[in-house]
Amino acid sequence: EATRLGEEGVVIPPFRLLAAGNQQHARLAQLMADAPFPPRNIRENLADIAAQQAANARGVQLLSEYAAAASWRKLTQYSEYLLDAAESRVRNFIRERYELHQPRSLNYRFSDALEDGTPICVSIVFPGRGNMRIDFAGTGGVSSQNFNANPSIVSAAVLYVLRCLIADDLPLNEGVMRCVDLRIPISVLNPPHAENHVDSPAVAAGNVETSQRVVDVLLGALGAAAASQGTMNNLLFGNAHFGFYETLCGGAGATRGADGASGVHTHMTNTRLTDPEILESQYPVRLREFCLRMGSGGAGRWQGGNGVRRAIEFLEPVELSLLTSRRTDPPPFGLAGGKPGALGRNR
């Protein structure tokens, strides 16, 4: 129910966590404790931060060892090679797929909508020389709820879609985006920031729900795949003693020549479900049902993947929250005459 960024968690202004060898964890802990909505377990948050610091320190060590064995000049040179390789592969793909066989003036357009009716619109053109212009003009305005994304989320979705389309090894780096002119007007995909950031539009659902819709419209515009489940099906429950969060799998959209996969995490979800044995042994729950929802994927020459049914019994009182989409129209779309998938239901 958050409408401002500050209601979703602790907004931390940039500062050096490690300066001249001195850790600033105490300062960070104080910032968390003084926030209007402080974390439930500050020690756990600090442990997460320490783990990230350790990973960065290990990265610095490995890069330094490589540079000592070769040279910093060679290291930076090979980094540029990786960027150039990604850019070259994407440009070649665009030329082969879209420039050689399609009129240059062809405009690929598509639109879909979020649960509240906010349109997500995209137009894609290929002006030549292996370039593409992706324009989200027509997309709905800033969300009064927390479905706002931001340009980095949209860029990640574009990079992901290109990686899916290119059936070849491709270094995943910024070189992929060198041939993309990405245009995102002020909208639910590019909300303006408040000066103090705390009052900026809320974004919790933007990363997990709106990002899914962005991927679907990009794939739809290019005619590459019908809509997948279009939601991460975020399920959160807990009480004063524990908290648990999972995302539920669903159906993948059909493509030309292949049915969509059933009961999988799709696109930006990128997670796995906890094994039932672990779930039931570690939390006060019983998994009553977990199966495919047959016939829900959308009919067609190539059928969409089926969603799932998941029923959980709670053995002690909990608070439960759901952040889901595709429960109301429009349903997940089909392509080239294929039928839409079924709407989901929370009960």
Side-chain angles (χ1 to χ4, degrees), residues 120-193:
I120 306 292
C121 306
V122 70
S123 169
I124 304 175
V125 296
F126 299 92
R129 298 185 178 181
N131 291 300
M132 65 189 304
R133 183 169 67 245
I134 301 176
D135 192 341
F136 286 92
T139 293
V142 177
S143 171
S144 60
Q145 298 176 302
N146 51 35
F147 281 81
N148 298 289
N150 57 47
S152 64
I153 291 173
V154 178
S155 296
V158 171
L159 190 151
Y160 165 80
V161 166
L162 288 172
R163 179 65 190 89
C164 288
L165 293 174
I166 298 174
D168 193 4
D169 288 336
L170 176 69
L172 276 180
N173 57 46
E174 190 64 22
V176 173
M177 302 296 288
R178 285 177 174 175
C179 42
V180 178
D181 177 10
L182 184 58
R183 303 182 180 186
I184 315 171
I186 296 297
S187 64
V188 69
L189 302 182
N190 185 14
H193 294 291

Side-chain angles (χ1 to χ4, degrees), residues 38-117:
R40 292 182 178 88
N41 190 331
I42 292 178
R43 287 182 60 189
E44 192 173 78
N45 292 126
L46 292 177
D48 286 342
I49 291 291
Q52 294 176 51
Q53 282 185 279
N56 279 310
R58 178 60 173 157
V60 169
Q61 179 186 359
L62 292 172
L63 282 173
S64 299
E65 289 175 0
Y66 183 89
S71 69
W72 281 109
R73 179 176 173 275
K74 182 167 287 189
L75 178 64
T76 55
Q77 187 179 44
Y78 275 90
S79 297
E80 285 297 323
Y81 288 161
L82 286 172
L83 291 168
D84 293 343
E87 177 186 3
S88 175
R89 186 64 192 89
V90 175
R91 289 195 186 279
N92 289 338
F93 168 77
I94 291 173
R95 291 191 189 101
E96 294 165 4
R97 175 71 70 89
Y98 297 104
E99 292 180 6
L100 296 179
H101 308 294
Q102 303 284 356
R104 187 170 294 182
S105 60
L106 190 63
N107 192 330
Y108 297 81
R109 296 176 181 271
F110 206 84
S111 64
D112 201 353
L114 298 176
E115 210 80 344
D116 63 357

